[in-house]
Amino acid sequence: YSKIPKYRAFASVIITEQPGSKSLKNFGNSDSGSNISNKIALIKSRRLLKSVVREYWDSNRRNNMFLFQTRNFYPKGQSFRTLIKEIFTLGLFDAEESMKTKVLVGPYTDEIGEKYVKTLSKDLKVRRESGTNMILMNYTSKNADEARRILNSIVRQFVRRDKEWTNKYEINSVKFLDSLVTLQEQKI
């Protein structure tokens, strides 16, 4: 009765190449394996995980999450245990005090992000499915719904950041190729 449950949420992401982008990436001698490794590093990055922490810090769920230690786990038989503790301590045990949860107030700060990124990264596992372009992720929490929500947020943030990163890479590649064309035109 006293073991705290661990729930895992699973997600997978398929990494695909946009049509026409492969030729630009091959220009720089990039291979698919390093591309997948880059995507995994992006998923585990502090910046991405901080954005997930910020998303939940700014939500109305902030004061009811195991991530922020604002939610307690009460095993079956908790009221019976509390009664026994009160009897053995001759009434000195304060059940109300032991069941209190902390309440978080204030705006999000970088220190808050740093503090909870450690918890997120500890409970997040990311790996590549061998021989494929799939990235498998799982997140462990004391609450199944919380694990699912956090992992979905991580995937959402990854997709958004990956699009930004890919667009910047392609824009820089086009600028580089334009500069080469300009240089060749000047030579002619």
Side-chain angles (χ1 to χ4, degrees), residues 7-184:
Y7 295 96
R8 282 194 187 128
F10 294 90
S12 57
V13 177
I14 298 176
I15 306 300
T16 58
E17 298 285 333
Q18 292 179 344
S21 68
K22 191 168 185 153
S23 60
L24 284 176
K25 288 184 180 176
N26 283 343
F27 187 75
N29 259 346
S30 174
D31 66 349
S32 177
S34 67
N35 187 26
I36 300 290
S37 297
N38 289 341
K39 306 284 185 184
I40 289 173
L42 179 61
I43 292 169
K44 292 180 176 180
S45 71
R46 297 178 81 73
R47 183 175 179 195
L48 186 133
L49 296 179
K50 274 186 179 181
S51 63
V52 172
V53 170
R54 182 178 198 135
E55 177 183 336
Y56 284 105
W57 186 268
D58 293 338
S59 75
N60 59 355
R61 295 184 178 279
R62 173 187 353 176
N63 288 314
N64 192 21
M65 292 186 76
F66 287 109
L67 171 65
F68 299 130
Q69 292 120 18
T70 54
R71 184 175 186 174
N72 289 336
F73 172 73
Y74 299 111
K76 288 184 177 180
Q78 181 66 34
S79 57
F80 179 70
R81 290 176 188 193
T82 303
L83 178 65
I84 296 298
K85 284 181 183 178
E86 286 177 351
I87 291 171
F88 280 128
T89 60
L90 302 173
L92 296 175
F93 177 74
D94 189 5
E96 303 252 336
E97 186 66 33
S98 70
M99 292 186 180
K100 274 188 181 176
T101 58
K102 64 181 180 181
V103 177
L104 301 173
V105 293
Y108 175 85
T109 62
D110 202 39
E111 292 82 27
I112 289 169
E114 288 293 328
K115 179 179 179 182
Y116 295 111
V117 159
K118 291 175 187 172
T119 305
L120 269 180
S121 61
K122 180 181 61 120
D123 294 334
L124 176 67
K125 306 288 183 255
V126 183
R127 68 178 180 86
R128 176 184 184 177
E129 181 68 28
S130 60
T132 68
N133 283 346
M134 287 184 70
I135 297 175
L136 304 176
M137 296 174 262
N138 73 62
Y139 183 80
T140 306
S141 177
K142 297 174 190 170
N143 181 277
D145 186 55
E146 183 174 323
R148 177 188 60 83
R149 286 178 187 276
I150 288 175
L151 191 58
N152 284 341
S153 293
I154 291 170
V155 170
R156 228 181 0 262
Q157 292 291 337
F158 164 70
V159 169
R160 187 174 66 77
R161 297 239 187 243
D162 185 48
K163 282 181 185 177
E164 289 174 8
W165 190 37
T166 303
N167 287 342
K168 285 179 185 177
Y169 179 82
E170 290 173 358
I171 287 170
N172 288 338
S173 296
V174 169
K175 285 180 183 178
F176 173 70
L177 292 174
D178 282 343
S179 69
L180 287 178
V181 168
T182 306
L183 186 67
Q184 290 299 324

